[in-house]
Amino acid sequence: MSDQLSRTKLIYGEKNIDSLKDKTVAVFGIGGVGCYVVEALTRAGIGHFVLVDNDEFTITNLNRQLYANKNTIGKSKVDVAKENIISINEEAIVDTYKIFYLDETKDQFDFGKYDYVIDAIDTVSGKLSIIEECKKCDVPVISCLGTGNRIDPSKLKITDIHKTDIDPLAKVMRKECRNRGIKKLKVLCSDEKPIKPLYEELGYEIKGKDRPAPGSTPFVPSCAGIMIAAEVIKDLLEFNEEDRK
């Protein structure tokens, strides 16, 4: 019998896809990457979401963020994401947190109740806190590294943090993970060398070491989000595509 997931069941199997209804996935950061993670996981059949982001949509989000349009500017990202999830799957459970995740706010979250965690936030301290909490609870986590200042989505890959090299954020994360005794961490990163943004040419004010937000395109963050979602489903279902070829 056909239903909205019947085409997906042809790939993963009915029991596998039905099992996703009972999975809880937490997505920290509903920006350029996180919004595509949420969209793909919703359409794959995840039944329970925890969405964490304190931001509202602005006009600068229109170039790359899935839920950003002229009607959502000024609205909460997690509220809009929740509305979109329910429009696709009215049975989905969506918990929203309008907070900026830091180590100081970690106690608001029970990481042990999550089946998978996606770190799609920008601050290193916040990323490390999420990762450490997941490791304590033995919950699978994937961390998204830099997607800004890049134009080639074909250079994206999923690997272990200790096998990364080009990404400047990865360098910082590798060091901090070693300091914390984190021996394994699944990450999405890019092998593309970041492009230097045209801050001066476009009139952005530079104050000391502070820099405006990085440049970004519609191509790289979106593909990163889709790749992360695919990896999450593969891990949750322990699916090996080679067995089917």
Side-chain angles (χ1 to χ4, degrees), residues 207-228:
K207 297 181 180 180
K209 294 183 179 180
D210 293 335
R211 291 290 184 271
S216 193
T217 68
F219 323 119
V220 179
S222 56
C223 290
I226 295 295
M227 289 175 64
I228 289 172

Side-chain angles (χ1 to χ4, degrees), residues 32-33 64 146-156 188 190 192 216-227:
V33 174
R64 69 197 184 283
T147 62
N149 296 332
R150 294 167 175 85
I151 60 174
D152 188 354
S154 72
K155 297 295 180 62
L156 294 169
L188 180 138
S190 174
E192 179 182 7
S216 193
T217 68
F219 323 119
V220 179
S222 56
C223 290
I226 295 295
M227 289 175 64

Side-chain angles (χ1 to χ4, degrees), residues 124-220:
V124 172
S125 60
K127 296 174 88 67
L128 290 167
S129 176
I130 291 170
I131 293 160
E132 286 187 304
E133 292 306 304
C134 289
K135 296 298 182 181
K136 289 177 185 176
C137 298
D138 195 26
V139 173
V141 57
I142 183 168
S143 182
C144 183
L145 302 183
T147 62
N149 296 332
R150 294 167 175 85
I151 60 174
D152 188 354
S154 72
K155 297 295 180 62
L156 294 169
K157 67 179 182 181
I158 292 175
T159 186
D160 185 81
I161 184 63
H162 300 293
K163 296 180 181 179
T164 58
D165 48 16
I166 293 175
D167 189 332
L169 176 56
K171 181 179 180 181
V172 176
M173 292 291 289
R174 284 198 308 273
K175 178 181 177 181
E176 294 298 331
C177 283
R178 284 196 297 269
N179 291 341
R180 289 163 171 76
I182 298 172
K183 297 181 179 180
K184 291 184 179 181
L185 172 64
K186 185 173 290 190
V187 299
L188 180 138
C189 66
S190 174
D191 281 338
E192 179 182 7
K193 186 176 180 180
I195 293 171
K196 184 179 179 180
L198 301 173
Y199 292 135
E200 293 82 1
E201 181 176 320
L202 294 177
Y204 286 85
E205 184 178 359
I206 308 296
K207 297 181 180 180
K209 294 183 179 180
D210 293 335
R211 291 290 184 271
S216 193
T217 68
F219 323 119
V220 179

Side-chain angles (χ1 to χ4, degrees), residues 69-100:
N69 58 58
K70 293 297 177 66
N71 295 321
T72 61
I73 290 176
K75 294 183 179 181
S76 161
K77 289 184 178 180
V78 294
D79 285 348
V80 174
K82 178 177 180 177
E83 183 179 348
N84 189 73
I85 291 170
I86 299 302
S87 73
I88 297 168
N89 177 13
E90 61 185 8
E91 296 181 357
I93 299 170
V94 186
D95 301 324
T96 59
Y97 292 82
K98 298 176 187 177
I99 68 170
F100 187 74

